[in-house]
Amino acid sequence: MSDHDPDCIFCKIVEGKIPSSKVHEDDEILAFHDIHPWAPVHFLMVPKKHMASLAQVGPEHTAMLGRMMALAPKLAFQEGCRPYPQGGFRVVINTGDDGGQEVHHLHVHVFGGPRPWTKG
Ligand code: AMP
Ligand code: ZN
């Protein structure tokens, strides 16, 4: 089975078929700025290999998820989030329709920067 879904917008970003403003890239994970930011800092982290959502996660994904969680603070501060505890950031994984997920490729939102934010 292919690592990419031809109809998935984030797979197209991973493949370079749609441009993105990259924040980080390694063998497993891509991070890029959200096209409609809600906060002064707003980027997404995605696994390069397509999976629809957090609902599909199994034991084989724990290392990748752990790497994303460990990357979140590093990239958040690199992107301009202020230091903890006065600063900080928010991590969100919308999952399914009830969870407010619009793009069905697992992604972690990282929001931060001085308030007010547009949403949240
Ligand atoms: P969600 O509601 O969690 O599925 O959020 C999907 C996010 O993807 C939204 O915040 C969109 O603004 C963002 N998004 C959609 N298309 C792109 C794109 N081409 N580049 C960057 N971010 C995008
Ligand atoms: Zn995808």
Side-chain angles (χ1 to χ4, degrees):
M1 203 182 105
S2 164
D3 285 352
H4 303 299
D5 174 340
D7 299 323
C8 170
I9 187 166
F10 288 174
C11 282
K12 288 180 187 167
I13 286 177
V14 167
E15 293 178 285
K17 292 179 176 165
I18 291 179
S20 68
S21 166
K22 279 183 200 172
V23 170
H24 168 89
E25 180 165 17
D26 62 43
D27 56 327
E28 215 174 8
I29 296 160
L30 180 70
F32 53 93
H33 292 113
D34 196 291
I35 205 163
H36 295 126
W38 298 5
V41 175
H42 184 182
F43 62 87
L44 306 172
M45 296 186 291
V46 305
K48 286 187 164 178
K49 201 170 168 175
H50 180 85
M51 62 185 299
S53 82
L54 197 64
Q56 283 74 35
V57 160
E60 68 276 27
H61 302 115
T62 54
M64 178 273 290
L65 287 167
R67 286 180 68 189
M68 290 212 282
M69 288 302 108
L71 261 175
K74 179 175 176 277
L75 299 182
F77 296 128
Q78 186 180 298
E79 288 302 303
C81 291
R82 296 175 297 172
Y84 178 91
Q86 289 79 13
F89 52 87
R90 176 178 291 176
V91 174
V92 172
I93 306 178
N94 296 325
T95 305
D97 290 347
D98 286 349
Q101 184 179 10
E102 289 177 0
V103 176
H104 289 267
H105 179 130
L106 173 65
H107 55 280
V108 178
H109 291 260
V110 180
F111 305 95
R115 290 175 177 275
W117 296 352
T118 313
K119 291 194 226 177

